């Protein structure tokens, strides 16, 4: 599960999983967030349809 929070100039992303607990990432710009998202969820290794991947990337762009 991902939780994204905009706090002033920073964007805070919390990845929460049963296996690893909580991991927090802080970004200072939307391009930095998008770069992370594209590397964290590469299209060719995504466990889902291309449509689901596109929906997820669209959600990141709308932050």
């Amino acid at each position: 599960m991902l939780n994204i929070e905009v706090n002033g100039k920073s964007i805070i992303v919390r990845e929460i999983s049963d296996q690893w607990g909580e991991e927090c990432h802080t970004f200072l710009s939307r391009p930095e967030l998008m770069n992370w998202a594209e590397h964290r969820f590469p299209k060719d290794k995504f466990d889902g349809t291309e449509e689901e991947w596109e929906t997820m990337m669209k959600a990141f762009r709308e932050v």
Side-chain angles (χ1 to χ4, degrees):
M1 180 170 101
L2 289 175
N3 182 19
I4 301 175
E5 172 187 337
V6 178
N7 188 3
K9 292 183 177 181
S10 60
I11 302 168
I12 302 165
V13 177
R14 289 183 179 84
E15 285 186 275
I16 304 168
S17 75
D18 294 339
Q19 296 176 353
W20 302 105
E22 182 177 310
E23 190 173 338
C24 187
H25 309 278
T26 303
F27 304 100
L28 297 177
S29 68
R30 284 179 171 79
E32 187 180 6
L33 168 67
M34 289 307 299
N35 184 48
W36 172 82
E38 290 168 358
H39 285 91
R40 175 65 178 88
F41 304 104
K43 194 176 200 176
D44 58 339
K45 294 181 182 178
F46 184 70
D47 290 337
T49 65
E50 185 172 337
E51 187 176 280
E52 290 172 328
W53 185 85
E54 290 291 341
T55 301
M56 183 175 61
M57 288 298 129
K58 181 181 177 194
F60 275 115
R61 284 190 288 277
E62 291 176 354
V63 170

